[in-house]
Amino acid sequence: MNDIAENTLDVTRQENVTRILDAAERLFRHYGYSKTTVADIARDLGMSPANIYRFFASKVEIHQALCGRMLATCYQLAYDIRHQPLSASERLRLYVETQYQWTMDTMLDEMKVHEMIVVAIERDWHVIEKHIDRVHDLIAEIIAEGIAAGEFAEQDPVVASRCFGAATINLCHPQMVAQCLAKTNRASVDELIDYVIRALKK
C-alpha cells in the first residue's frame, strides 16, 4: 500500500473515531455515562455496534478516550498560559483561575459530565496521571523562570510545582470543587492563590 492510500486510511479512521467520541459525549451529557450503552451510540450514528467495536473494544475505552480529549483541552489552556509574556506570579495566578473556571464550566455545569469525570478519577486511569505530570512540568518551568528572575526564592522547582499543585487541588479537582461550592468556611479562590504565591517568594 502506498503512502497516499495509508494516509487516506488514517484520516478516515480518525474521522470515524471523532464521530464516535462526539456522539458518545453528546449521549453521556444527555443521559449520563451509566445509562448510555455502546448500542445507543451506534444507533445515534446509524451504524451497528460491530462498527463501534472496530475502533473501541468497550464503552470503558470510549470513556477513557473522551476523558483524554477533555484533559488535552485542559493541558492546552495551561500550555498557552505558560508561554504568555507575563511574570511568573501572574502566569501562576492566571493558570489557577483559568483551571478553576474551566472545571466549573466543563465538569460541574452539567451533572452528567461530572459523573463521567468522577468515574474516571475513581478508576485512576493512566490518562489522568499523565495529565497531572504534564501540568506539573509546566508549572515547574514557570517557577524555575520566577527563580531565575529573582521573583521567587531559591528552591527545587519540581518539588515546588508538586506542592503548588497539592495546595490548589481543591480548585482543580472536580469532586473537591463541587464539595466546596456551598461551604462558607473555605478560603476563597483569590485568598488561596495569594497564599501559595507568597509561599514561593519566601
Side-chain angles (χ1 to χ4, degrees):
M1 186 179 295
N2 59 41
D3 291 343
I4 295 177
E6 288 182 354
N7 289 338
T8 300
L9 283 175
D10 288 342
V11 170
T12 300
R13 177 179 176 78
Q14 187 55 52
E15 288 175 348
N16 284 323
V17 166
T18 299
R19 286 183 63 223
I20 292 169
L21 292 180
D22 288 346
E25 182 172 0
R26 184 167 59 252
L27 293 176
F28 288 165
R29 284 178 181 273
H30 186 73
Y31 298 108
Y33 171 74
S34 59
K35 293 182 179 179
T36 302
T37 66
V38 172
D40 293 329
I41 298 169
R43 189 179 307 110
D44 185 79
L45 292 169
M47 63 173 63
S48 69
N51 276 340
I52 302 290
Y53 290 122
R54 288 175 53 208
F55 302 96
F56 296 97
S58 64
K59 187 176 81 168
V60 171
E61 278 196 7
I62 295 173
H63 183 197
Q64 184 175 357
L66 269 179
C67 288
R69 189 165 74 168
M70 293 177 72
L71 291 175
T73 299
C74 177
Y75 176 80
Q76 189 61 49
L77 290 172
Y79 180 88
D80 291 343
I81 290 170
R82 182 259 177 272
H83 290 92
Q84 287 198 21
L86 301 170
S87 70
S89 294
E90 290 171 325
R91 282 179 287 165
L92 290 178
R93 177 180 297 279
L94 182 59
Y95 161 72
V96 178
E97 290 174 342
T98 301
Q99 177 67 49
Y100 179 73
Q101 192 60 53
W102 183 83
T103 301
M104 293 281 290
D105 294 342
T106 306
M107 299 185 181
L108 300 187
D109 188 45
E110 299 179 52
M111 290 311 296
K112 301 294 194 307
V113 179
H114 185 215
E115 174 202 359
M116 186 172 71
I117 299 301
V118 168
V119 171
I121 292 171
E122 289 175 347
R123 288 174 176 168
D124 197 26
W125 278 332
H126 72 278
V127 290
I128 293 179
E129 290 302 311
K130 181 179 178 181
H131 170 72
I132 292 171
D133 289 342
R134 294 177 74 205
V135 170
H136 279 171
D137 289 344
L138 290 179
I139 294 173
E141 290 171 5
I142 296 174
I143 293 174
E145 290 175 3
I147 294 170
E151 190 176 346
F152 299 146
E154 284 292 332
Q155 58 198 294
D156 184 333
V158 173
V159 173
S161 172
R162 292 171 182 168
C163 292
F164 184 92
T168 58
I169 191 170
N170 67 324
L171 301 180
C172 306
H173 191 296
Q175 288 171 297
M176 297 184 73
V177 171
Q179 291 169 4
C180 292
L181 279 178
K183 298 185 184 298
T184 58
N185 61 342
R186 300 288 191 273
S188 70
V189 175
D190 287 338
E191 288 170 341
L192 187 51
I193 295 174
D194 287 343
Y195 186 86
V196 294
I197 289 178
R198 280 201 305 272
L200 290 169
K201 295 179 178 181
K202 294 181 178 180

